[in-house]
Amino acid sequence: MNGLGDLSDHGLPDGLAPRLLPRIRTREEYRASPRDEATYVPAVREICRRHGLPAEPLRKYASGSTIVFAVGDALVVKLFEPVYSAGAAVEAEALRHVHGRLGVSTPAVHASGEMEDWRYVVMDRLPGTPLADVWDSVSADERRSLCRQLGAALARLHALPTDGLALRGPAWDEFIAGQVGGCVERQRERGLADAWVEQIPGFLAPVHLPHVVPVMLHTEIMREHTLVQRGDAGWTISGIFDFEPAMLGAPEYEFGSVGVFFTSGDAALFRALLLAYGYTAADLTPELPRRILAYALLHRYSNLAWYLKTVPPRSATTLDALAEEWFGTG
């Protein structure tokens, strides 16, 4: 089965067994919830038992916004807290849709379901090392190669048919209009300095974001979500994961996270990625960096204050200059 309907209720009947997972009913409870491994081991073992999967050894990943366990060398169990349970349906549907179609590995889904009021997805554990862990040891030529590989994979992702996909979210134009309307307040709430906040309306107003036929987007491409392996030919991308925030939208919406969290303001790397994606040199106009920064500001989880700490501006003090620093192509 595909889509949202395959997340069936496998919860334990009330009163017949002790609760295996914490009760999390609000975002405040989520922020205060336990993150230790021992709390979740019984639930992960029960999920493996239900689906006839080996349950040893278990190891919780230290990072991530959700609870994720490696099960041996082959599987991953990802748990979704009740307040963010919709992400399970998105991840399962997105992974089934892209598997085997991007030219790089993505996890296959083995099972999905509900335990108590939590949701979960059981998927492949991909081989490789997070690119973030080895980036400093990757040569300049190999970095360009990895960017070209990623650009080609994103082109395949955006070319996939979207008929029948039920990925969450409103119609694209409606979504963007809502993001524009709330952009200033969201960025201020997330700690952006007034000197930047005050520029947002004037920056966004002249940027033309054309009407598009929405494509499938990952939306959070970064080195932490990209696995690599080193062979005789150098570093290659061995996998892309974490499709929980996938959605349908404009292709250029994808490149905000790419430019900040993958190429990190390196014009040569960003250019190599865009050309491998399918842009021509003539497409790399001065308007392109401004559109991409606009989409970065309008991203569902946009946090410009954090972006500025991640990739500190070299000299930019305006959003126009920042667009060129982060998303310019030389």
Side-chain angles (χ1 to χ4, degrees):
M1 296 177 64
N2 293 317
L4 306 187
D6 62 354
L7 290 171
S8 56
D9 186 350
H10 299 292
L12 295 173
D14 291 340
L16 295 185
R19 187 175 178 89
L20 297 179
L21 289 163
R23 294 188 185 278
I24 299 177
R25 294 155 294 189
T26 66
R27 292 184 179 182
E28 290 70 26
E29 289 180 342
Y30 164 77
R31 285 191 285 268
S33 63
R35 312 302 287 179
D36 62 289
E37 181 173 294
T39 296
Y40 300 95
V41 164
V44 176
R45 285 180 176 155
E46 171 60 16
I47 290 169
C48 292
R49 185 198 65 78
R50 289 178 183 180
H51 298 287
L53 301 170
E56 298 292 346
L58 300 181
R59 179 177 63 83
K60 180 181 174 295
Y61 288 98
S63 61
S65 58
T66 58
I67 304 297
V68 184
F69 274 78
V71 183
D73 294 328
L75 297 174
V76 166
V77 174
K78 189 170 184 177
L79 298 169
F80 294 81
E81 293 85 350
V83 289
Y84 298 112
S85 62
V90 172
E91 180 124 51
E93 182 187 30
L95 288 177
R96 288 190 172 100
H97 191 67
V98 305
H99 186 62
R101 306 172 80 178
L102 302 188
V104 299
S105 294
T106 56
V109 175
H110 292 267
S112 56
E114 184 174 343
M115 170 177 286
E116 296 160 357
D117 47 359
W118 290 56
R119 302 248 174 168
Y120 63 83
V121 180
V122 183
M123 63 189 80
D124 283 338
R125 182 180 177 188
L126 299 178
T129 302
L131 178 56
D133 293 350
V134 299
W135 183 259
D136 290 343
S137 67
V138 178
S139 71
D141 286 344
E142 289 172 326
R143 289 179 181 184
R144 282 191 291 273
S145 174
L146 291 171
C147 287
R148 288 192 289 267
Q149 294 171 47
L150 178 60
L154 291 177
R156 296 185 190 102
L157 172 65
H158 295 171
L160 292 179
T162 59
D163 295 345
L165 283 176
L167 297 178
R168 67 186 175 196
W172 179 249
D173 291 340
E174 177 186 342
F175 167 76
I176 287 296
Q179 293 300 100
V180 170
C183 184
V184 167
E185 190 57 33
R186 279 194 308 275
Q187 297 296 344
R188 180 177 284 118
E189 288 176 352
R190 292 169 185 175
L192 184 62
D194 288 344
W196 292 104
V197 170
E198 292 164 359
Q199 297 180 49
I200 291 175
F203 174 78
L204 290 178
V207 177
H208 175 58
L209 302 179
H211 175 75
V212 297
V213 176
V215 302
M216 185 173 177
L217 305 169
H218 181 289
T219 80
E220 289 193 354
I221 292 291
M222 53 183 67
R223 296 173 197 166
E224 288 79 1
H225 297 159
T226 307
L227 298 174
V228 294
Q229 291 179 313
R230 189 169 194 174
D232 293 340
W235 290 99
T236 59
I237 294 178
S238 59
I240 298 172
F241 63 97
D242 202 355
F243 279 78
E244 173 193 345
M247 64 186 296
L248 303 180
E252 287 177 351
Y253 183 89
E254 191 84 83
F255 295 117
S257 64
V258 171
V260 174
F261 296 107
F262 197 96
T263 58
S264 298
D266 186 310
L269 294 182
F270 198 56
R271 179 184 181 89
L273 188 148
L274 291 178
L275 293 175
Y277 176 86
Y279 284 83
T280 68
D283 295 325
L284 305 181
T285 65
E287 291 76 26
L288 178 63
R290 301 183 80 251
R291 286 201 307 272
I292 296 176
L293 180 57
Y295 281 129
L297 288 167
L298 302 176
H299 193 283
R300 184 168 49 199
Y301 304 125
S302 178
N303 186 335
L304 184 57
W306 177 37
Y307 301 168
L308 290 166
K309 292 178 182 178
T310 302
V311 185
R314 294 186 295 275
S315 61
T317 57
T318 68
L319 290 174
D320 283 309
L322 188 66
E324 187 61 32
E325 278 198 14
W326 282 357
F327 308 117
T329 59

